[in-house]
Amino acid sequence: MKLARIIKCYLHFHPQHCKFSTTTSSVRTLKRETFLEKISAGPSFQKFLNVKSKMPMASSKVNDEFIPYLPANSYKGHGRKVYFEIYGCQMNTNDAEVVWSILQANDYDRCQDIQEADVIMMITCAIRDGAEIKIWNRLQHLKALKHKRSTKRGPLQISLLGCMAERLKQHVLEKEKSVDVVAGPDSYKDLPRLLALTRHYEYSAVNVLLSLDETYADIMPVRLNKESPTAFISIMRGCDNMCSYCIVPFTRGRERSRPLESIIKEVKMLDSQGIREVTLLGQNVNSYRDISKETSMESTTVPGFNTVYKPKINGLPFSVLLQQVAEAVPNMRIRFTSPHPKDFSEDVLRVMRDYPNICKNIHLPAQSGNNAVLKRMRRGYTREAYLKLVNVIRRYLPGVGLSSDFICGFCEETEAEFGDTVTLIEKVKYNMAFLFSYSMREKTSAYRNYKDDVPHFTKIERLQRMVKAFRDGATELHKEYEGTRELILVEGKSKRSNDHVFGRNEANIKVIIPMKNILINQSSIQQSEQINVGDFVAVRITDTNSQVLKGEPLYKTTIQDFYNT
């Protein structure tokens, strides 16, 4: 089609192939002759056919002159070694396992030493400016590593994946020439082809197309850390909330959920591999809806909360998924993150209450404690509605472990508005919190409508005050654990002592215990074994602070036995 238009244009305007009607106007004739002279001095028709693209190629083209053909067997890695660097959230860890599953199926190997790598996969985060600065700095080091590479070993390919790749797209290639492949969160299945193109034709490749239906449900992730007794399962992708400060809807796309059966299958597979705890993942995990089922269920949005989108009434909701997962693997712990407060229906809370293997731990991101700031953030609730939900949760789940996210220094935030955030932290008291100063992101509603007008030093000072308020409340909460019996899953050795191991209790608080021989159970037969990674251990808490609990191990057990005694 483009070639036909060029030919038509050429035949119409080039003096060797076109005829103009005679006119009596000498002025018009003179202008036409001048125009013909300019056209004659311009590029020929052949010049149009020989033009070469200087831009980085798109995912479907190499250049205008040469379209390469790669047979399917050219996508194979032929044993090339892949090294992973993962930044950001737990979803990126799961994405890396999806990527590794795809590459492993295409004959790539994995290495633990970056010096041995043929391909470096960087799974990136774009939630804050600081996360991206870290990536840019790291690329400088990798660029030097690439230049030192011996030609005998073949090219070292650097791939930038995930949210930062989606946000910046071809700007990454323009700023950093050492990057070979840029792939967004929905284009990981295309990686073998993109890597093959860049390896065979020495072009940079980009695929950042977002999908309305890609969930990778047909990909069984391959775990990167096989020593850990815990694992992540992505049950949905994307976010529809459109909070004004958040870049996620623009880097991860619209919400879409995996079919329930594929999730149950993956959970059972992990159970057979000895995994003792799984975390269900999603950008807005509790808005999960399996629309592959022809069923109609009313919206589960909590009263007092609202959304920017219409209520979702089709498909199976999160409460059904949570119940079926808990029943499928009764001896495995179940967690989930990251939820939105609006989707904590009483149905979800009842399921959490009734199944002992679902951890009584809820992440309840507040972001701010002031109504005016919450409105500017487009969070869809007020301080009062949030506090009411906290009360409902604690009524269903006494002793629940709560965590939250807070942002200070959002656009136009006054000292009085920030004060409401501090008082909310003090009033609720959280076992864990993720506290940040605001970082403006392009494309967001805040970027278009507000000014990032809170000075940097003010943000830092407010952040320190938030940290103090959180730690004071956490210290008070954790003090209540002293003398209690807690069930922990042992995850590994303590960083500070080889004689101690750590695990997490139901509330997701780190617990440190000495590694020694203990009873296998509470029976009269006094058998004992050494504590190992993957063991469930009953622990008596002896000491606490705002960050960790310390305890004395009592005996090994199971989830069911622990809660039945």
Side-chain angles (χ1 to χ4, degrees), residues 3-46:
L3 182 61
R5 289 179 179 174
I6 292 173
I7 294 173
K8 183 177 180 180
C9 178
Y10 180 81
L11 292 175
H12 186 68
F13 288 108
H14 202 284
Q16 297 175 6
H17 299 282
C18 64
K19 296 180 181 180
F20 290 92
S21 58
T22 305
T23 175
T24 56
S25 173
S26 59
V27 175
R28 293 177 65 183
T29 301
L30 179 61
K31 287 183 177 180
R32 188 168 295 161
E33 290 174 352
T34 303
F35 175 72
L36 294 177
E37 290 175 1
K38 290 181 179 180
I39 292 295
S40 299
S44 67
F45 177 60
Q46 190 64 31

Side-chain angles (χ1 to χ4, degrees), residues 297-313:
M297 301 189 73
E298 294 183 2
S299 173
T300 55
T301 302
V302 175
F305 290 69
N306 58 71
T307 65
V308 297
Y309 55 81
K310 294 181 180 179
K312 299 176 181 179
I313 59 175

